[in-house]
Amino acid sequence: MPDVSSVCDKITEILSYDPLHPILFSSGLFLFLFAGFAFFYQFMRRAVMLRMIYVVLFSLYFYYKTSGLFLFLLVGMSVSDYVIGRFLCAARKQSLRKWLVALSLTIDIGVLCYFKYTNFFIGLLNDVSGRDWLDFQNIFLPVGISFFTFQSISYIIDLYKRRIDPADQWIDYLFYLSFFPQLVAGPIVKARDFMPQIRQKPIVVTREMFGMGIFLIISGLFKKAIISDYISLNFVDRIFDNPLLYSGFENLMGVYGYALQIYCDFSGYSDMAIGIALLLGFRFPKNFDAPYHSATITEFWRRWHISLSSWLKDYLYISLGGNRKGLKRQIFNLFVVELLTGIWHGADWNFICWGLYYFVLLAIEKLFLLKYLEKGKFWPHVYTLFLVVVGWAMFVGNDYGVGFGELFHRLFVPTGGVSPVYFLRNYGVLLAVSAVCCTPLIETLWNALKKRTATRVATVLVLLVLSTAYVVGSTNSPFLYFNF
């Protein structure tokens, strides 16, 4: 018989909130819970209201396990924008409609700024004044607030522009805002793309959706649990815990490793989110498209974090005028978008510099460089990858507390240290395998395997066994984009 105390401990673990151990897609606990959830979900595919209540309750539980009682913040935001949305659709005067949109944006952006940027603004005020006018606040950042805030804004703007009809009931909107696959780290799903899917009856999961969903979950788990976590624990963390102990070459390889880590981490999560949604009968937009294969910085931003880039383009860049009002206005609009991109990622000067860094690169391309890059074959890829990796050095500085100037001094000023041959002998295979996972090769191989069922199943089983063994035998680190 099982030990009663151990069973009680397991139940307590499942029901309780532990801020140090949030539930992750790559954890054994989530895989166990999702298997049970998916089993009962199959019996509700035709019962629309029962299915919606079931999914919402699981989503709220999932968020509670991640952010505790901040789930009431999520619920409160859903109530606020649902009510404003109903008034917005009923209003006839354009001035009133604009006031309602302004009210919604004030609430949503105000909540986001309070939790994410209060301490940054306090520090900025104190630095400018030269006095400690205000004390720093101990503010816990709710996981995923940047993502579900943008989704809520998407709903209100789509209603204002009459792109969608309002949610029939509050639970419809709560379903959209809290849907657990993309709740805490995206992809950012626009209201006009997802809302029409909510009340489909019955839920249809085609054979193609099921196969692609399983592949995305397994490949995403492989990227996260094996590639990203292994690089982090055995390579990147070791260097950037104290980068001054290592040579410029090692620091450069550390940033390169971080570039592989953050891609496998974030794209792995996105793949799992898209795959889980497919198994439940919903389609999410693609969030990554081999970004390190890009030949220009412009192309990189069409391939990296596509849902964020698309959101900013649709709701900010085009609203500001896009490229319709001349080159100077286009450059200004680009400045605003890239600055906001940096600020969205976090309240730190590193992120602001990162956003402005990409503004400069994109502006240079649009002004004169793009036409030369489009004529090149190999060198544009080298140019793009190098500049992207340099950009990630700004993220490394933020995550590990590395001095910004010290890190870049190490990267670009030659210093003594370990031999490159010795370094590559120890880590070359790891970096090469990780680099392959960042190319279109994996998707190309999967498409080739579609013709042979036995080979496809065997490939999935091998990836599943490897990933599961690693998940069971190790402690998974949180997804990097939980911090953003």
Side-chain angles (χ1 to χ4, degrees):
M1 292 183 62
D3 184 15
V4 176
S5 62
S6 63
V7 173
C8 292
D9 291 341
K10 191 65 179 178
I11 294 175
T12 302
E13 177 189 354
I14 292 174
L15 295 178
S16 62
Y17 161 62
D18 182 356
L20 298 178
H21 299 92
I23 187 171
L24 307 173
F25 282 178
S26 58
S27 67
L29 176 59
F30 175 79
L31 297 177
F32 168 76
L33 291 173
F34 178 71
F37 167 83
F39 175 78
F40 290 104
Y41 179 83
Q42 302 305 313
F43 300 102
M44 305 177 188
R45 290 192 297 173
R46 294 181 180 274
V48 177
M49 184 54 65
L50 184 61
R51 180 186 75 224
M52 293 178 68
I53 294 174
Y54 179 63
V55 173
V56 165
L57 289 176
F58 185 84
S59 298
L60 293 179
Y61 162 75
F62 175 78
Y63 193 68
Y64 170 74
K65 289 290 291 181
T66 306
S67 289
L69 294 180
F70 281 104
L71 73 90
F72 292 111
L73 174 67
L74 173 66
V75 173
M77 187 174 291
S78 73
V79 172
S80 170
D81 279 332
Y82 171 74
V83 172
I84 292 175
R86 299 299 297 186
F87 280 109
L88 180 62
C89 291
R92 295 183 178 181
K93 292 184 178 180
Q94 186 65 12
S95 58
L96 178 58
R97 288 169 55 82
K98 289 182 178 180
W99 276 108
L100 288 169
V101 172
L103 175 62
S104 174
L105 293 178
T106 300
I107 294 173
D108 293 345
I109 297 176
V111 169
L112 177 62
C113 288
Y114 170 75
F115 285 102
K116 198 165 185 175
Y117 306 109
T118 296
N119 281 332
F120 176 75
F121 288 126
I122 288 175
L124 185 62
L125 177 62
N126 289 342
D127 290 340
V128 171
S129 65
R131 299 181 181 181
D132 293 335
W133 290 104
L134 297 172
D135 294 329
F136 290 98
Q137 306 297 309
N138 184 22
I139 299 175
F140 177 83
L141 179 65
V143 173
I145 189 171
S146 299
F147 292 91
F148 64 73
T149 298
F150 269 33
Q151 290 200 180
S152 198
I153 293 173
S154 164
Y155 173 73
I156 293 297
I157 295 179
D158 281 348
L159 281 179
Y160 175 75
K161 295 188 175 182
R162 306 186 192 279
R163 293 170 174 168
I164 58 172
D165 296 324
D168 293 332
Q169 300 180 40
W170 169 64
I171 195 170
D172 292 34
Y173 185 67
L174 182 58
F175 186 103
Y176 160 69
L177 203 62
S178 68
F179 192 43
F180 71 92
Q182 43 68 234
L183 174 58
V184 296
I188 301 170
V189 183
K190 298 172 188 172
R192 64 176 182 268
D193 294 330
F194 190 75
M195 294 293 288
Q197 300 183 56
I198 291 177
R199 285 190 169 267
Q200 56 178 312
K201 181 181 179 180
I203 289 289
V204 177
V205 181
T206 65
R207 184 176 179 180
E208 180 185 0
M209 291 173 66
F210 182 82
M212 181 55 69
I214 293 295
F215 169 71
L216 287 173
I217 292 172
I218 300 302
S219 63
L221 185 61
F222 180 83
K223 284 182 184 179
K224 164 60 182 171
I226 294 182
I227 302 297
S228 177
D229 283 359
Y230 192 83
I231 290 177
S232 173
L233 294 174
N234 297 281
F235 179 51
V236 175
D237 288 356
R238 183 179 66 82
I239 291 177
F240 290 114
D241 278 347
N242 198 337
L244 298 182
L245 295 178
Y246 297 94
S247 69
F249 176 79
E250 288 173 292
N251 277 273
L252 182 60
M253 288 297 99
V255 176
Y256 173 70
Y258 183 80
L260 299 175
Q261 178 197 350
I262 195 171
Y263 171 77
C264 289
D265 185 281
F266 193 18
S267 71
Y269 183 95
S270 294
D271 287 349
M272 294 184 73
I274 295 169
I276 290 170
L278 283 173
L279 294 186
L280 301 179
F282 299 91
R283 295 183 182 273
F284 285 169
K286 192 173 186 178
N287 210 22
F288 290 89
D289 185 16
Y292 295 151
H293 189 65
S294 304
T296 66
I297 298 298
T298 303
E299 183 184 359
F300 172 78
W301 276 109
R302 288 198 297 262
R303 292 171 174 263
W304 176 273
H305 203 346
I306 299 171
S307 63
L308 175 62
S309 301
S310 175
W311 193 99
L312 291 170
K313 178 183 177 181
D314 287 355
Y315 298 113
L316 184 61
Y317 181 73
I318 293 178
S319 298
L320 290 173
N323 58 1
R324 304 186 304 273
K325 298 183 178 181
L327 182 59
K328 291 183 179 180
R329 181 60 181 270
Q330 181 185 8
I331 297 299
F332 172 77
N333 295 341
L334 192 63
F335 167 78
V336 174
V337 169
E338 292 307 313
L339 178 61
L340 182 60
T341 300
I343 294 173
W344 180 89
H345 279 82
D348 195 285
W349 287 111
N350 296 68
F351 295 117
I352 294 175
C353 290
W354 182 76
L356 295 177
Y357 169 77
Y358 273 106
F359 158 69
V360 172
L361 296 179
L362 290 170
I364 291 173
E365 287 191 356
K366 289 188 179 298
L367 288 173
F368 69 91
L369 188 58
L370 196 58
K371 59 183 179 181
Y372 298 105
L373 291 169
E374 291 173 346
K375 295 178 182 178
K377 292 184 178 180
F378 177 72
W379 74 268
H381 294 279
V382 176
Y383 147 88
T384 302
L385 183 60
F386 174 76
L387 291 179
V388 168
V389 170
V390 170
W392 289 134
M394 301 179 189
F395 268 61
V396 172
N398 178 75
D399 284 355
Y400 296 88
V402 181
F404 193 84
E406 292 176 348
L407 176 60
F408 274 80
H409 181 269
R410 284 273 164 176
L411 289 177
F412 297 109
V413 177
T415 56
V418 68
S419 165
V421 175
Y422 174 83
F423 181 90
L424 294 175
R425 186 186 69 186
N426 286 275
Y427 299 105
V429 174
L430 171 63
L431 294 177
V433 171
S434 304
V436 169
C437 291
C438 299
T439 68
L441 179 62
I442 302 299
E443 187 174 352
T444 301
L445 290 175
W446 175 253
N447 291 331
L449 291 174
K450 284 183 178 179
K451 302 175 182 179
R452 299 181 179 181
T453 303
T455 308
R456 185 172 70 246
V457 172
T459 302
V460 169
L461 288 176
V462 169
L463 291 176
L464 178 61
V465 169
L466 289 173
S467 302
T468 303
Y470 195 88
V471 167
V472 172
S474 65
T475 301
N476 292 278
S477 59
F479 290 92
L480 291 175
Y481 261 70
F482 274 18
N483 298 322
F484 306 138

